[in-house]
Amino acid sequence: MSGDSRGAMVIGGASGIGLASARVLAAEGYRVIIADINEGAARSAAEGIDGEVSAIGMDVTDEASVEGGLSAAHGVHTVVNCAGMSIPGVITELALADWRTTLDVCLTGMFLVLKHAGRHVADGGSIVCIASLNGRQAGAGMASYCAAKAGVLMLVQVAALELADRGVRVNAISPGLVDTPLVAGISLVPGLTEEYLENTPLGRSGRPEEIADAVAFLASDRAAWMTGAAIDLNGGAHLRRYPDIPARVKSMAENADRA
Ligand SMILES: NC(=O)c1ccc[n+]([C@@H]2O[C@H](COP(=O)([O-])OP(=O)(O)OC[C@H]3O[C@@H](n4cnc5c(N)ncnc54)[C@H](O)[C@@H]3O)[C@@H](O)[C@H]2O)c1
């Protein structure tokens, strides 16, 4: 990448937190590449953002795909990885394939992004990894996601150590409940959103733009002395407890049986 403006790649940038991050980075003058497994959505997203924004297909679970996208962007200043998903289930009922799918996207995908971003990001660049409140706060029914995100927080620290000699900073953001398509299902379980909010001292969910502002900060020189860190961005939810999702789902099923 060359030219006056800095380049940024936002992986998982077609929706939610990634899309908001692409918007904020483009507004700050970055040339942005949106990479997503949903290439069509990535293209539509890019077309909808003012500035120099392009799109590519990328599957973070496929090393050739990650390597191809990042090597083509060699010299990019900032790489943000927002790709994620979750298959819930209590441990005693969780299918091995579902455990593996979540680990593959959230943890192995982050490893592959760090591996190839670590090779191709510019000296003095920034890598921002979206972790989760669940990387430090256990949630019943969330074993694979919690384990994957806890792993992400440690991977970020190891990568920060290993890439510091090139001046590359690696940081994480751990969002709490943010209104995106990923968590749309929560509102279908009676009482669950309320339980989230009761356990959030600031009393509301987050907006994707609030995470994107932290992404832009970590990308910028204002965070020039920050690496190996994780920002809790959750309205204070890490200070209380995680909702009891299996109990809420059980009571919903019992009510449906009675009806
Ligand atoms: N929304 C929340 O409440 C919340 C809370 C904590 C952490 N997070 C994390 O934030 C990140 C973004 O989530 P979001 O809420 O914006 O979700 P989202 O579903 O709106 O966006 C996720 C994006 O990742 C893409 N993606 C999924 N699998 C991929 C793969 N294998 N390769 C490439 N792209 C892939 C999807 O196509 C989608 O565009 C995720 O890592 C998620 O775990 C979200």
Side-chain angles (χ1 to χ4, degrees):
M1 290 225 164
S2 59
D4 293 329
S5 65
R6 287 175 161 185
M9 178 179 287
V10 183
I11 301 168
S15 173
I17 291 167
L19 176 55
S21 300
R23 274 206 194 96
V24 168
L25 291 170
E28 294 201 351
Y30 288 80
R31 283 168 297 122
V32 176
I33 303 165
I34 295 177
D36 203 285
I37 194 168
N38 187 340
E39 191 174 347
R43 288 196 192 291
S44 308
E47 283 162 16
I49 301 176
D50 287 337
E52 208 181 317
V53 186
S54 57
I56 60 168
M58 182 186 289
D59 177 356
V60 296
T61 68
D62 174 355
E63 182 160 17
S65 168
V66 176
E67 183 173 18
L70 280 158
S71 61
H74 183 79
V76 69
H77 177 272
T78 294
V79 175
V80 186
N81 184 17
C82 306
M85 47 73 70
S86 171
I87 302 177
V90 294
I91 293 171
T92 49
E93 305 294 330
L94 188 62
L96 178 58
D98 291 345
W99 161 269
R100 284 192 170 137
T101 298
T102 304
L103 266 286
D104 213 23
V105 175
C106 293
L107 184 56
T108 305
M110 191 64 82
F111 158 69
L112 290 173
V113 168
L114 284 166
K115 175 175 176 179
H116 294 286
R119 292 177 178 185
H120 294 291
V121 78
D123 289 356
S126 171
I127 303 174
V128 183
C129 303
I130 305 300
S132 171
L133 169 62
N134 288 123
R136 63 177 284 179
Q137 190 178 63
M142 303 281 289
S144 53
Y145 188 76
C146 290
K149 294 296 189 175
V152 165
L153 291 174
M154 182 50 76
L155 255 183
V156 162
Q157 295 180 52
V158 174
L161 281 174
E162 293 180 358
L163 296 174
D165 59 351
R166 288 210 297 116
V168 172
R169 297 176 295 103
V170 187
N171 292 290
I173 299 171
S174 298
L177 181 64
V178 180
D179 301 319
T180 72
L182 184 71
V183 295
I186 288 171
S187 63
L188 305 176
V189 182
L192 188 52
T193 304
E194 291 77 2
E195 195 176 341
Y196 266 105
L197 300 185
E198 278 160 19
N199 283 290
T200 303
L202 292 182
R204 65 169 177 85
S205 53
R207 296 187 303 276
E209 296 71 27
E210 291 176 304
I211 312 302
D213 283 339
V215 167
F217 167 71
L218 289 174
S220 77
D221 295 341
R222 284 169 287 158
W225 206 42
M226 192 162 174
T227 196
I231 298 177
D232 287 311
L233 197 37
N234 58 35
H238 64 288
L239 303 172
R240 294 196 181 151
R241 67 163 179 83
Y242 208 70
D244 189 341
I245 298 174
R248 292 280 170 192
V249 171
K250 187 168 170 234
S251 115
M252 181 174 73
E254 284 166 358
N255 286 338
D257 283 349
R258 273 198 290 274

